[in-house]
Amino acid sequence: DPAMPDAVVLDVGRRHAVRPGVRFEVLRDGRPIALLQAEQVKPTLTIARIIRRGLTPIRAGDAVRSAPAAPAP
C-alpha cells in the first residue's frame, strides 16, 4: 500500500492468537529477510509494521513465523 510503505498485511489475526506487539520474521528460502511487529489486528488479518529489513524486498508468498519476543528494556 503506497500510503503505508512500511506495512505488510498478514493472513492471520486474533483468531490465530495474534495480538498487537507480536513480532514475526519474514523468511525466504528458510532465511530471515525482515522483522515485523503487529500493529492492527483484526479477526483474520494483521497489519504489521516492518521494523527491520534486509536488502531483499518482501514479496507476496514469503513465509512468516513468530519471532522471539523483544528483550525487556
Side-chain angles (χ1 to χ4, degrees):
D1 181 349
M4 297 179 69
D6 289 333
V8 175
V9 177
L10 306 176
D11 63 354
V12 294
R14 276 193 301 271
R15 291 184 186 164
H16 305 93
V18 177
R19 300 286 179 257
V22 169
R23 291 183 174 203
F24 297 92
E25 289 182 312
V26 180
L27 306 168
R28 181 159 323 130
D29 299 325
R31 295 190 199 115
I33 62 168
L35 183 65
L36 312 175
Q37 182 169 314
E39 297 287 326
Q40 298 176 35
V41 182
K42 309 288 185 191
T44 59
L45 68 87
T46 297
I47 298 173
R49 181 173 47 93
I50 301 168
I51 56 175
R52 187 178 69 226
R53 68 173 91 210
L55 298 175
T56 304
I58 297 170
R59 295 190 310 225
D62 285 336
V64 177
R65 69 177 177 201
S66 295

